[in-house]
Amino acid sequence: MSILSSVGRIATRYSAARARYRSERAILSLPIELRKDIGWPEIVIDAQNSPRIGLAP
């Protein structure tokens, strides 16, 4: 395994994470009615736990 392949793998993972983050931000900026229509799960914030995604009723 070369250093270049390791750097390439890290860059690929970083790029995928950034794309996922941008997509999630765009979807979360939509009104809640539209998010429910497309089936996006509701984010539930629990006082004891970190935010997690749950199904919207």
Side-chain angles (χ1 to χ4, degrees):
M1 182 183 309
S2 71
I3 291 176
L4 289 179
S5 66
S6 297
V7 170
R9 231 182 0 267
I10 291 170
T12 300
R13 276 192 258 154
Y14 177 77
S15 176
R18 288 289 302 154
R20 186 172 48 250
Y21 174 74
R22 282 192 306 266
S23 298
E24 187 173 328
R25 266 185 62 195
I27 291 174
L28 289 175
S29 70
L30 295 172
I32 195 157
E33 295 83 17
L34 287 177
R35 284 186 271 162
K36 284 184 179 181
D37 287 344
I38 62 173
W40 186 256
E42 182 180 356
I43 295 179
V44 178
I45 298 177
D46 189 355
Q48 295 178 347
N49 299 324
S50 61
R52 61 179 190 264
I53 296 177
L55 295 176

